[in-house]
Amino acid sequence: MKIRIFLSLILLIAAVSQGCVSNKKYVALQADYNKSLDTNAKLKQSWQVTQQELAGSRSRVQSLEEQIAAAKSNAATLQDALNKCLAGTSQGNVNISKLADQINSSDQYIRHLVELKNKSDSLNQILTNNLTRSLTPDEAQDVNVKVLKGVVYISLSDKMLYKSGSYMISDKAGSILAKVAKIINDYSNYDVIIEGNTDIVPISQPNIRNNWDLSALRGSSVVQALQTKYGVDPKRLAAAGRGEYNPVADNNTDDGKSLNRRTEIIITPKLDQFMALIGKPQPATN
């Protein structure tokens, strides 16, 4: 509320001091400001939703890895019990048969989980390789691609994507965005989050209050470019902004600030695919 009053006073003082700004101009400026506030609120809400979805995806990947470890541990326990039975008397013949069945079932379950995880990892690696090979040496300097915990991260530098201090997409970004869009369209079973990030230098632009606004608007600009110019299904896209609060380098150096001013395209399997990976129940061992 204080910020809104302060900005309104600035607009009023400017109008009085210049003497040539009409009341209609002032009302238009106020309307633009209010529209900016509404846009920012929607972007922040979208960011919160996408962060929750991404956190859920990462949690499910961790759950899958824990299930694989638990299944391997269970198989080792069953194998140890079987060995003890074999070393004992013939009284355990029935139990040996039951344990053998349980070990076999547990091994099948482990193979199922490992196969699904390997398939996901392989698809991610193919996706990464296809994008990397499509980039020219000059483009590769502004793009960093990595896979972390089953999620593909494509980091694009701000100097390549945007005009300085702006969220408007630059002309030279078209070639790289077209290649990224082709990868996204080729892998239709993945969802995509576009996440803007900034350094710690305050922004001073009309209708952009701070780095939160700038990062969210940059994420939204890339989302809209992928949709309108390159035909990516908007249902697969989400825009987010993390301001200056997700640095990957030291903001006390120019090189560090440059690395922190980035937009990340996060490509992750859809939530229903994660459910499919862990949806098959582990066989009972009792």
Side-chain angles (χ1 to χ4, degrees), residues 42-286:
K42 292 179 180 178
L43 288 170
K44 285 185 177 180
Q45 183 179 10
S46 173
W47 174 78
Q48 291 173 349
V49 172
T50 54
Q51 287 300 109
Q52 291 172 357
E53 293 178 346
L54 182 58
S57 297
R58 289 172 175 167
S59 176
R60 286 174 173 81
V61 170
Q62 182 178 357
S63 176
L64 175 61
E65 292 174 344
E66 290 173 353
Q67 286 190 52
I68 292 175
K72 289 182 177 179
S73 176
N74 181 58
T77 300
L78 292 173
Q79 185 65 54
D80 183 61
L82 177 58
N83 292 339
K84 290 179 180 179
C85 287
L86 290 172
T89 65
S90 60
Q91 178 181 351
N93 285 341
V94 174
N95 289 333
I96 290 174
S97 177
K98 183 177 180 180
L99 284 171
D101 290 340
Q102 290 178 341
I103 290 174
N104 182 59
S105 180
S106 180
D107 285 343
Q108 290 179 353
Y109 181 67
I110 292 173
R111 286 194 294 271
H112 168 71
L113 293 177
V114 171
E115 179 183 354
L116 290 175
K117 185 177 184 299
N118 289 341
K119 180 179 179 181
S120 177
D121 291 343
S122 296
L123 287 174
N124 287 340
Q125 193 59 53
I126 292 172
L127 184 157
T128 300
N129 291 340
N130 287 345
L131 176 60
T132 302
R133 284 197 296 266
S134 70
L135 299 174
T136 66
D138 289 339
E139 291 172 338
Q141 295 179 4
D142 293 317
V143 181
N144 180 38
V145 185
K146 64 181 179 180
V147 179
L148 182 62
K149 292 184 178 180
V151 179
V152 178
Y153 293 83
I154 304 171
S155 183
L156 308 177
S157 68
D158 74 318
K159 66 179 181 180
M160 179 274 298
L161 272 181
Y162 313 105
K163 301 176 181 177
S164 178
S166 170
Y167 57 87
M168 303 300 294
I169 302 294
S170 67
D171 294 336
K172 64 181 181 180
S175 174
I176 290 180
L177 287 181
K179 293 173 182 179
V180 171
K182 182 180 186 306
I183 292 295
I184 294 173
N185 285 327
D186 286 345
Y187 293 83
S188 58
N189 290 328
Y190 286 71
D191 282 333
V192 183
I193 300 172
I194 313 298
E195 185 180 89
N197 294 268
T198 70
D199 58 24
I200 60 174
V201 178
I203 184 71
S204 177
Q205 294 288 344
N207 295 330
I208 301 179
R209 294 170 299 176
N210 50 42
N211 283 332
W212 275 117
D213 280 1
L214 179 61
S215 64
L217 288 168
R218 284 182 167 182
S220 178
S221 292
V222 175
V223 161
Q224 294 180 64
L226 290 174
Q227 174 190 353
T228 58
K229 292 185 178 181
Y230 305 107
V232 178
D233 183 357
K235 294 179 181 179
R236 299 174 55 202
L237 300 173
R242 302 192 68 176
E244 62 202 60
Y245 302 104
N246 186 37
V248 294
D250 186 356
N251 271 307
N252 293 319
T253 67
D254 290 340
D255 288 341
K257 289 177 182 177
S258 178
L259 291 173
N260 290 332
R261 295 191 304 269
R262 70 197 188 282
T263 295
E264 290 191 332
I265 299 178
I266 304 170
I267 304 176
T268 177
K270 293 182 178 180
L271 291 180
D272 56 355
Q273 291 184 332
F274 278 110
M275 294 304 296
L277 290 178
I278 63 176
K280 184 176 180 180
Q282 183 175 356
T285 58
N286 294 330

